[in-house]
Amino acid sequence: MEQPGAISELIDALKRLPGIGPRAAQRISYQLLSGDRSDATRLGRALLEAVDCVHKCPRCNSLTDKDLCIFCSSPNRDDSQLCIVETVADLMVIEQSLSYNGRYFVLQGRLSPLNGIGPHEIGLDKLIQRTAEDSLKEVIIATSFTAEGEATALAITDLLTKHHPQLRLTRIAKGVPAGAELEYTDVNTVAQAMLNRRVREL
Amino acid sequence: MEQPGAISELIDALKRLPGIGPRAAQRISYQLLSGDRSDATRLGRALLEAVDCVHKCPRCNSLTDKDLCIFCSSPNRDDSQLCIVETVADLMVIEQSLSYNGRYFVLQGRLSPLNGIGPHEIGLDKLIQRTAEDSLKEVIIATSFTAEGEATALAITDLLTKHHPQLRLTRIAKGVPAGAELEYTDVNTVAQAMLNRRVREL
Ligand SMILES: [Zn+2]
Ligand SMILES: [Zn+2]
């Protein structure tokens, strides 16, 4: 279909967002450009500003516009607990569930040997360093209950048992539906799973 | 929830898009800012570029980055037909249905007297001027089959019968499900409705 280049480009850029199909991209584009364009300008500026000033937290891999993220720098969080998640979106779901007040560590996704994604790629070397701190007592593994998420949990258990045998390793309870992504689970289920966490055994 | 300002602002701006809730806005934001940020930069630039260079076509009210839009300027479209739609998104659905090759006129929405939206607000004065051209033979009314869309169709029929009695007025067939928005209808149904259009009688 022929369309002005600037609109085509906007539709193409919107289509690349997760969960937005071609029809929705088109509808959003025309709605943003019809009438008052302040929403479009605001979103455009917000994107460029965020790309410019938001970076990965050097301590936990979450996102921040400061030296350290709010989860690492807050004096009100419990240094004795560390929760390991696959993505920043997963971290935010746990925050919203109001069931946890320790520190976090965000992996770079999940182990996927068939796709060449091994322990190094998801940041397990850095996790071993991070878990060497004396104040830390418990590591809560909150990866997804998918095959890859479970394999990742197993690899973490294996490594931490070897390197830091004094740590208590726990896994959030399987209240999260099996096969589901943590990110898409309702916060009450996530809260239940956090409360029901059990000691991890090999 | 505490979050860096630039991320909060991005989430807020995304939440204002049609069909994107708070959870999706959050997920999209973190995904855009994790790893490679080229999608975020691309979308941000596309938005600002489109706001800058896309404007309303002075002849039909659709969107363009030229003096006239492609639907008005194309020499390959039939000057004897004019299709009236409520929004540019509706126009694009008709284009995708490949059932029409005439010209268009985009209203500024639908009549809604209770909200103070009358004939002038939706651009019916301009429509009367636009339909005064000699080459025009048929006006196809493609407003939605909602109460407001039907009231708008009735007002258009009334006005055009009075001002340009020589015109053939048609209405797309009610193949589009009653009560539905044209914009959300699948293109095959839209094509059927276009083919089955009937002469409009008061
Ligand atoms: Zn951090
Ligand atoms: Zn035009």
Side-chain angles (χ1 to χ4, degrees):
Chain A
M1 171 147 6
E2 340 156 59
Q3 283 175 123
I7 299 182
S8 300
E9 170 57 20
L10 176 55
I11 293 171
D12 287 346
L14 278 166
K15 273 194 297 201
R16 300 179 66 86
L17 298 189
I20 296 191
R23 190 94 178 243
Q26 184 176 297
R27 188 163 57 238
I28 291 170
S29 298
Y30 289 118
Q31 191 156 327
L32 280 172
L33 296 174
S34 297
D36 174 19
R37 280 105 177 274
S38 62
D39 282 350
T41 304
R42 180 179 171 185
L43 178 56
R45 287 188 185 145
L47 281 159
L48 298 181
E49 169 76 8
V51 166
D52 205 43
C53 75
V54 174
H55 55 267
K56 207 181 273 187
C57 172
R59 188 163 162 81
C60 76
N61 297 329
S62 79
L63 297 170
T64 183
D65 54 4
K66 307 278 192 313
D67 288 342
L68 281 183
C69 78
I70 46 173
F71 308 112
C72 290
S73 60
S74 166
N76 301 319
R77 300 191 74 108
D78 185 348
D79 277 327
S80 74
Q81 294 184 309
L82 184 75
C83 179
I84 304 178
V85 292
E86 292 172 3
T87 66
V88 181
D90 289 348
L91 182 162
M92 295 310 298
V93 173
I94 292 176
E95 279 297 293
Q96 287 172 341
S97 80
L98 303 176
S99 59
Y100 179 69
N101 194 41
R103 307 290 177 182
Y104 286 100
F105 187 86
V106 182
L107 300 172
Q108 314 299 296
R110 304 180 277 207
L111 287 178
S112 183
L114 294 178
N115 298 308
I117 301 174
H120 176 73
E121 280 70 25
I122 66 168
L124 294 191
D125 328 7
K126 186 171 168 184
L127 174 65
I128 292 167
Q129 292 176 354
R130 171 68 183 84
T131 48
E133 297 178 17
D134 279 347
S135 53
L136 185 62
K137 304 298 174 210
E138 177 181 7
V139 170
I140 301 166
I141 305 172
T143 56
S144 295
F145 285 100
T146 57
E148 292 178 348
E150 291 282 24
T152 306
L154 194 64
I156 292 168
T157 306
D158 206 12
L159 275 170
L160 293 189
T161 304
K162 203 177 301 167
H163 287 85
H164 310 301
Q166 79 289 359
L167 285 175
R168 181 169 180 243
L169 297 187
T170 59
R171 176 89 165 105
I172 55 169
K174 212 169 185 164
V176 177
E181 307 274 349
L182 199 65
E183 181 178 336
Y184 296 88
T185 306
D186 75 272
V187 290
N188 290 331
T189 307
V190 173
Q192 277 297 328
M194 178 62 66
L195 293 171
N196 297 335
R197 65 184 184 272
R198 293 171 307 131
V199 173
R200 178 81 182 176
E201 280 149 11
L202 267 183
Chain B
M1 173 143 5
E2 342 155 58
Q3 282 175 125
I7 299 183
S8 299
E9 170 57 19
L10 176 57
I11 293 172
D12 287 346
L14 278 166
K15 273 195 294 202
R16 300 179 65 86
L17 298 189
I20 297 192
R23 190 95 177 242
Q26 184 175 299
R27 189 162 55 238
I28 292 170
S29 297
Y30 289 119
Q31 192 154 329
L32 280 172
L33 295 174
S34 297
D36 175 18
R37 281 106 177 275
S38 62
D39 283 350
T41 304
R42 182 180 169 184
L43 177 56
R45 288 189 184 146
L47 281 159
L48 298 180
E49 169 76 9
V51 166
D52 203 44
C53 75
V54 175
H55 55 266
K56 207 181 272 187
C57 173
R59 188 165 161 81
C60 75
N61 297 329
S62 79
L63 297 170
T64 183
D65 54 4
K66 305 279 191 316
D67 289 342
L68 280 183
C69 78
I70 47 174
F71 309 111
C72 290
S73 61
S74 167
N76 301 320
R77 301 190 74 108
D78 186 349
D79 277 327
S80 74
Q81 293 184 311
L82 184 76
C83 180
I84 304 178
V85 292
E86 292 172 3
T87 65
V88 181
D90 290 347
L91 182 161
M92 294 311 297
V93 174
I94 292 176
E95 279 299 292
Q96 287 172 342
S97 80
L98 304 175
S99 59
Y100 179 69
N101 194 40
R103 306 291 178 180
Y104 286 100
F105 186 86
V106 182
L107 300 172
Q108 312 301 298
R110 306 179 275 205
L111 287 179
S112 182
L114 294 179
N115 299 310
I117 302 175
H120 176 72
E121 279 70 25
I122 67 168
L124 294 190
D125 329 6
K126 187 172 168 184
L127 175 64
I128 291 167
Q129 293 175 354
R130 172 67 182 86
T131 48
E133 296 178 17
D134 279 348
S135 54
L136 185 62
K137 304 299 174 207
E138 178 181 7
V139 170
I140 302 168
I141 305 171
T143 56
S144 293
F145 285 100
T146 57
E148 292 178 348
E150 292 281 24
T152 306
L154 194 64
I156 292 168
T157 306
D158 207 13
L159 275 170
L160 294 188
T161 303
K162 204 178 298 168
H163 287 86
H164 310 303
Q166 79 289 357
L167 285 174
R168 181 169 180 245
L169 298 186
T170 60
R171 176 87 165 106
I172 56 168
K174 210 168 184 164
V176 178
E181 308 273 348
L182 198 65
E183 182 178 336
Y184 296 89
T185 307
D186 75 273
V187 292
N188 290 331
T189 307
V190 173
Q192 278 295 328
M194 178 60 68
L195 294 170
N196 295 337
R197 65 186 184 271
R198 293 171 308 129
V199 173
R200 178 80 181 178
E201 282 148 9
L202 268 183

